[in-house]
Amino acid sequence: MMITSAFGQIQGIVLDKDSIPLEEVDVFLLDQEILLNTNEDGVFSYDNEILHNSYIRFYKIGYASRLVRYEQGDDSGRLNIFLEKLHVDIDEIGVYESYNELGNSKV
């Protein structure tokens, strides 16, 4: 992810480890209690300035969430962060029906 700040507006892009933009990522500005979402290009924007040392949380289902402390002036206002896909795979799920009555010991 890259965050840039110009004229009080914050813009950023959220990417996966292969530099593919991620859409519908929750971008939560913790100190301001503001929730943003990335668009289909992985881009989000906020019209006001983010406070120095504020925390920003990035969350998307299937990816490890990230908590970042935003520091003004670091790396010319740019911060690169990539979300990593979780390594949980489910092969197959079997579903069967079961019926029990309270107090019934019949199998």
Side-chain angles (χ1 to χ4, degrees):
M1 182 194 80
M2 179 178 71
I3 296 177
T4 59
S5 175
F7 306 110
Q9 184 182 35
I10 303 297
Q11 293 183 337
I13 184 168
V14 181
L15 307 166
D16 70 3
K17 68 176 186 167
D18 298 320
S19 297
I20 298 173
L22 296 173
E23 66 178 316
E24 297 300 319
V25 176
D26 290 340
V27 180
F28 185 58
L29 308 176
L30 291 158
D31 295 332
Q32 290 89 355
E33 296 184 358
I34 295 174
L35 179 64
L36 308 170
N37 288 85
T38 60
N39 63 15
E40 62 275 356
D41 298 322
V43 175
F44 70 93
S45 64
Y46 180 59
D47 291 333
N48 296 318
E49 188 173 350
I50 295 177
L51 300 174
H52 181 67
N53 287 331
S54 291
Y55 285 95
I56 307 170
R57 187 175 76 96
F58 300 90
Y59 173 79
K60 180 173 175 70
I61 293 175
Y63 291 83
S65 65
R66 296 289 303 263
L67 183 64
V68 176
R69 188 174 73 182
Y70 177 76
E71 296 183 15
Q72 294 174 344
D74 280 0
D75 195 26
S76 302
R78 295 187 175 113
L79 179 64
N80 293 318
I81 295 176
F82 296 88
L83 295 184
E84 295 184 25
K85 194 162 184 68
L86 293 175
H87 298 287
V88 177
D89 293 324
I90 299 176
D91 292 332
E92 190 173 312
I93 298 175
V95 179
Y96 65 94
E97 183 176 352
S98 165
Y99 177 75
N100 295 319
E101 289 183 21
L102 187 60
N104 185 357
S105 60
K106 295 180 183 179
V107 179

